[in-house]
Amino acid sequence: MRNQTIDNYVNTFVSYLGFQPANNDIKATIQAAQRFLADKSLERSTVQPTQAPVTRWLDQALESALAEPHDNDHLLSLCQATQAVLPCCPWTPGYDEKDVGSAFKQYFAYATLVGDGGIIPCSYFSTGITLIAPDFFYDWHHHPAIEIYLNLTPGSMWGINKAPLDEKKLGDIIIHPSQIAHAMHCEKAPILAPWLWAGDVNVPAKMC
Ligand SMILES: [Fe+2]
């Protein structure tokens, strides 16, 4: 059975991408999302919502995203669709502690809504939300999936290919092509960032 709240979130995210300059990664991701939305064979898993230490920052991050001036109604709709899926979220720090250290789970978590380990398992598309505590550097990492992030934290810093990080504003879309190293940091606020994955979505991220 489909989850209407998750479907609406995916639909709203895809509509938002329609206003971005198209490239092959965006096109492939929209295609995977549309396949998911049309797929009647997918079943809800038994995965239940969970909290993580970093979710202490969730309310602040969301309130700040909703309170900021929005460039357009599409961005506000996507913030609201993200807010609507939060009660479903199974937050986890992911990563093996031996790879990232024992403190990592205090500062980082993500929730998979669709995909491996998520509310709705899916082998060709994944989506979820990442949350990072203030002043925590989410170190350089990579994965085979194409990744499209929506930045909901004004002033957060994002980098690819180990270049200096760039400041992003609310509503910016950040594209991480397959296997390209990327990292994030925000000194003063938690980073809240919904994402879409397409391509090889069953291989988890690894630190570089
Ligand atoms: Fe990533």
Side-chain angles (χ1 to χ4, degrees):
M1 199 163 107
R2 305 224 41 129
N3 178 310
Q4 289 304 319
T5 312
I6 294 175
D7 282 359
N8 181 55
Y9 155 83
V10 173
N11 236 325
T12 310
F13 208 150
V14 167
S15 300
Y16 191 77
L17 287 183
F19 295 98
Q20 306 297 318
N23 71 9
N24 286 341
D25 286 335
I26 287 197
K27 283 182 197 161
T29 305
I30 290 176
Q31 207 168 34
Q34 286 173 336
R35 180 179 166 194
F36 161 76
L37 289 167
D39 192 339
K40 305 264 190 290
S41 71
L42 300 174
E43 295 287 340
R44 192 184 172 123
S45 71
T46 56
V47 170
Q48 295 297 313
T50 54
Q51 300 296 306
V54 74
T55 52
R56 67 192 184 279
W57 295 104
L58 187 54
D59 287 349
Q60 178 187 326
L62 183 74
E63 280 162 22
S64 140
L66 288 167
E68 285 283 323
H70 295 86
D71 282 351
N72 55 62
D73 289 347
H74 305 290
L75 177 56
L76 182 58
S77 298
L78 187 45
C79 287
Q80 290 166 339
T82 301
Q83 181 179 29
V85 294
L86 293 179
C88 307
C89 281
W91 293 101
T92 171
Y95 295 101
D96 252 334
E97 204 168 293
K98 68 175 168 33
D99 296 328
V100 292
S102 57
F104 184 84
K105 61 177 178 289
Q106 298 296 324
Y107 306 107
F108 174 90
Y110 65 90
T112 303
L113 296 163
V114 178
D116 192 25
I119 302 293
I120 303 175
C122 180
S123 62
Y124 54 81
F125 171 70
S126 184
T127 182
I129 302 172
T130 291
L131 180 64
I132 306 170
D135 206 16
F136 181 74
F137 182 61
Y138 181 18
D139 214 335
W140 297 99
H141 58 285
H142 62 96
H143 39 72
I146 300 162
E147 180 174 68
I148 311 281
Y149 264 113
L150 168 72
N151 175 40
L152 293 182
T153 304
S156 54
M157 306 293 291
W158 298 65
I160 62 169
N161 272 333
K162 303 200 175 178
L165 276 54
D166 284 328
E167 184 170 334
K168 299 293 180 185
K169 61 184 194 311
L170 181 80
D172 278 351
I173 290 291
I174 297 103
I175 301 167
H176 296 143
S178 172
Q179 296 293 18
I180 297 295
H182 48 281
M184 297 125 85
H185 177 243
C186 187
E187 191 181 336
K188 295 198 165 95
I191 293 179
L192 178 66
W195 46 264
L196 305 173
W197 268 22
D200 195 352
V201 302
N202 299 307
V203 180
K206 277 189 196 159
M207 290 296 169
C208 293

